[in-house]
Amino acid sequence: MFVPCGDSVPDLAGFTFLMPAVSVGNVGQLAIDLIISTLNMCKIGYFYTDCLVPMVGNNPYATAEENSTELSINAEVYSLPSKKLVALQLRSIFIKYKSKPFCEKLLSWVKSSNCAKVIVLSSSHSYHRNDLQLRSTPFRYLLTPFLQKTVQNKIKSLNWEEMEKSPCIPEIDDSEFCIRIPGGGITKTLYDEGYSVMTPQHLPCSGKCQVHGDYSLAVVFLLRFFDLFSVL
Amino acid sequence: MAATFFGEVVKAPCRAGTEDQEEEEDERRETAEDREVRRQLARKREVRLFRRQTKTSLEVSLLEKYPCSKFIIAIGNNAVAFLSSFVMNSGVWEEVGCAKLWNEWCRTTDTVHLSPTDAFCVFYHLKSNPSVFGSCPRRNMQVTVLTCRHVTDYKTAESTSSLHSPFLKALKTENFKEPPCCSLLEQPNIVHDLPAAVLSYCQVWKIPAILYLCYTDVMKLDLITVGAFKPVLSSRSLKGLVKNIPQSTEILKKLMTTNEIQSNIYT
């Protein structure tokens, strides 16, 4: 559940909700860290849950002695009202079998907050790329049907490529094709849950990159992501 | 994955789920019987409160029955030994309840004959000032957590030869206004498990709380490690509770001796 830092619940109506999937290379989380620290977003609350492994530490975005002693927990919410942006940062992994309940609770909160859209930053194993993918950029996007209609052409004009479907059961020739995101954590679950639970205005989309061990790719990913963000 | 003594590789038990696809496939293959087994395991892992003397369950939560202003939690054998020897030897402490818990890593099943350093959870309150601990978050309650970690978990840019373990570090919630008895834990160090769960709860619900973390290279019961907690005795939470430090040191030595006799390579 969302617990605000202050006494009142902030109004997030019309905001863009950004979040990472805990995925291979922690790319999404690194990207969200960069966003929060670069845009100097303020902490507005906590997403208090028993679905994540508990962890605490001192403020990772400290800029001075005074703010270096603020405690941070495993799931915190930051906002930048001037850009109507709200970001959830996840700092630990899911307890087994708790990822789906987490997605349900999270999307339920996002829906009740009337956020305009949800953007998930994720990553996937690069060794799953086929020959065609190996010859192209390591970045892909995935949109839910409503957003596909409204922004697909604009995204394509920015040279982003849509996530390809792959065989549901690899090695089987006549296997059906579906969206697979190996190493993507809850990305697929969020996408599936979002489609079935939320109204068309709130369907999630995701930007992702495929990681092969060089985490500086998170920075490149973020720079490319801001192109996409201007369109969404 | 972990290698056993005999060399075969087995999957180490872990509550953290890292393989998303494995979990999805498990859920798809799950039968009604699997779901029932999982439900029963979850019920078995539930924490239950009871009184050891009467062997009855506590009907209401402990903190409703015994509201308090100071909640002190010691986690691990050195922290527990410190609390038992230095704090609980002063005044009369009454046992008010016990937490019965089980998970796949539990080794202690006998809850009747326990030394203060055995892994278990027992609640005490001070008879002369029964204002220690509770259940509902109360703004005027203060929580102190004591625990240990191995010094190899401590991350620092300094050379490890300059670290003199054991040493104490602190983490506090926003509402904890007193100065801590030692320096704060620097980034990128983090804390996991029960101490993190307690501190997270206190941070979210605005309860003043402080965690004192002792980094040591001896994880078994050790006089020097227990002694590293002594600066905490000057904190406002514990100051009024500690009366006789020389006597406490004697109690601690006796505890060490008892523990040494019991432990051998076959236990």
Side-chain angles (χ1 to χ4, degrees):
Chain A
M1 63 181 289
F2 175 71
V3 180
C5 285
D7 294 324
S8 59
V9 179
D11 181 14
L12 301 177
F15 275 50
T16 298
F17 185 83
L18 271 183
M19 65 170 287
V22 180
S23 54
V24 60
N26 304 106
V27 174
Q29 292 161 286
L30 289 168
I32 294 286
D33 269 341
L34 282 174
I35 291 171
I36 292 170
S37 57
T38 307
L39 298 179
N40 206 18
M41 295 175 78
C42 295
K43 185 161 35 176
I44 57 165
Y46 308 95
F47 197 75
Y48 190 61
T49 173
D50 63 351
C51 299
L52 293 165
V53 170
M55 60 79 46
V56 289
N58 273 329
N59 184 8
Y61 313 120
T63 49
E65 187 77 33
E66 293 76 35
N67 62 16
S68 65
T69 59
E70 291 166 10
L71 196 70
S72 279
I73 70 167
N74 55 8
E76 296 186 320
V77 183
Y78 298 78
S79 87
L80 188 65
S82 57
K83 301 281 183 207
K84 292 205 127 190
L85 192 59
V86 59
L88 167 71
Q89 177 60 301
L90 302 176
R91 299 196 174 95
S92 63
I93 49 180
F94 288 100
I95 305 280
K96 212 169 168 67
Y97 302 118
K98 295 266 193 165
S99 53
K100 202 161 177 201
F102 175 82
C103 294
E104 287 163 7
K105 287 176 203 168
L106 178 70
L107 291 176
S108 165
W109 170 58
V110 169
K111 185 181 176 186
S112 65
S113 303
N114 292 310
C115 291
K117 44 183 158 316
V118 176
I119 302 177
V120 180
L121 304 184
S122 181
S123 54
S124 183
H125 288 300
S126 62
Y127 57 77
H128 277 271
R129 290 191 287 175
N130 60 29
D131 293 343
L132 209 64
Q133 288 171 323
L134 282 168
R135 287 196 282 268
S136 62
T137 69
F139 306 112
R140 294 290 184 274
Y141 70 88
L142 185 63
L143 294 173
T144 44
F146 175 76
L147 279 173
Q148 265 171 9
K149 286 179 227 157
T150 53
V151 302
Q152 184 133 41
N153 291 333
K154 289 182 198 169
I155 289 179
K156 282 192 168 149
S157 69
L158 291 170
N159 296 319
W160 272 79
E161 292 180 41
E162 192 174 7
M163 182 68 194
E164 300 91 342
K165 288 188 176 175
S166 54
C168 292
I169 307 165
E171 313 295 335
I172 304 288
D173 289 338
D174 57 354
S175 167
E176 280 179 12
F177 278 66
C178 60
I179 297 289
R180 290 178 69 244
I181 311 174
I186 57 170
T187 312
K188 182 80 175 21
T189 311
L190 275 174
Y191 178 76
D192 293 341
E193 288 290 316
Y195 182 75
S196 61
V197 166
M198 304 180 81
T199 61
Q201 285 78 25
H202 301 280
L203 292 172
C205 79
S206 106
K208 58 184 280 296
C209 76
Q210 290 167 314
V211 178
H212 49 76
D214 177 5
Y215 300 163
S216 62
L217 205 59
V219 177
V220 178
F221 173 46
L222 195 58
L223 296 171
R224 291 289 327 265
F225 164 69
F226 276 116
D227 280 347
L228 198 68
F229 185 62
S230 64
V231 164
L232 290 168
Chain B
M1 305 296 271
T4 65
F5 179 79
F6 299 102
E8 77 270 26
V9 175
V10 295
K11 202 164 180 178
C14 178
R15 286 184 71 229
T18 52
E19 290 301 325
D20 44 298
Q21 275 181 288
E22 208 177 274
E23 227 175 88
E24 273 178 38
E25 280 162 21
D26 278 350
E27 278 183 25
R28 268 198 295 271
R29 280 196 294 259
E30 227 177 30
T31 61
E33 196 184 336
D34 294 328
R35 277 193 288 276
E36 183 54 31
V37 166
R38 202 146 40 98
R39 254 195 302 271
Q40 285 189 15
L41 265 176
R43 224 173 292 141
K44 209 174 165 188
R45 281 201 207 102
E46 277 171 13
V47 177
R48 288 181 184 84
L49 297 176
F50 67 104
R51 290 199 72 116
R52 274 195 297 185
Q53 299 90 333
T54 57
K55 291 181 189 176
T56 51
S57 298
L58 283 169
E59 294 302 323
V60 295
S61 66
L62 215 51
L63 297 182
E64 273 174 37
K65 208 171 151 90
Y66 304 99
C68 75
S69 60
K70 289 180 190 175
F71 191 10
I72 307 165
I73 312 169
I75 303 164
N77 50 10
N78 284 300
V80 167
F82 170 77
L83 207 62
S84 305
S85 317
F86 286 86
V87 178
M88 292 174 63
N89 75 321
S90 310
V92 179
W93 290 80
E94 182 194 24
E95 185 182 315
V96 293
C98 204
K100 184 178 174 182
L101 56 98
W102 174 88
N103 60 41
E104 290 83 344
W105 294 275
C106 279
R107 289 187 289 181
T108 307
T109 50
D110 179 6
T111 63
V112 177
H113 307 106
L114 283 174
S115 86
T117 59
D118 274 342
F120 205 77
C121 184
V122 187
F123 298 98
Y124 300 88
H125 81 159
L126 184 60
K127 273 185 120 169
S128 57
N129 181 13
S131 70
V132 179
F133 89 35
S135 85
C136 318
R138 295 223 162 83
R139 297 285 174 95
N140 57 358
M141 182 168 74
Q142 190 175 77
V143 177
T144 306
V145 186
L146 309 174
T147 193
C148 287
R149 276 289 177 276
H150 201 274
V151 70
T152 50
D153 284 343
Y154 183 68
K155 296 172 189 62
T156 176
E158 292 172 33
S159 155
T160 46
S161 56
S162 65
L163 288 176
H164 301 293
S165 70
F167 57 90
L168 216 54
K169 290 286 178 186
L171 269 179
K172 59 187 185 69
T173 61
E174 199 176 324
N175 284 61
F176 189 90
K177 301 298 182 196
E178 284 168 46
C181 303
C182 59
S183 56
L184 290 174
L185 186 64
E186 313 86 351
Q187 273 284 341
N189 292 289
I190 54 176
V191 174
H192 290 287
D193 304 329
L194 183 57
V198 172
L199 226 60
S200 298
Y201 180 90
C202 293
Q203 174 72 358
V204 169
W205 300 112
K206 301 180 175 62
I207 300 169
I210 187 158
L211 161 67
Y212 286 107
L213 182 56
C214 177
Y215 283 98
T216 175
D217 44 16
V218 180
M219 290 309 286
K220 65 180 180 107
L221 192 59
D222 167 60
L223 210 60
I224 299 173
T225 303
V226 174
F229 282 109
K230 280 186 186 166
V232 182
L233 296 175
S234 59
S235 69
R236 207 150 49 127
S237 313
L238 300 189
K239 211 182 223 170
L241 300 174
V242 181
K243 303 269 181 345
N244 191 338
I245 293 182
Q247 191 187 18
S248 305
T249 312
E250 284 310 308
I251 294 173
L252 181 61
K253 282 181 183 160
K254 273 191 201 147
L255 206 59
M256 301 278 311
T257 321
T258 321
N259 195 255
E260 271 163 18
I261 292 167
Q262 284 172 356
S263 72
N264 59 60
I265 61 168
Y266 300 107
T267 54

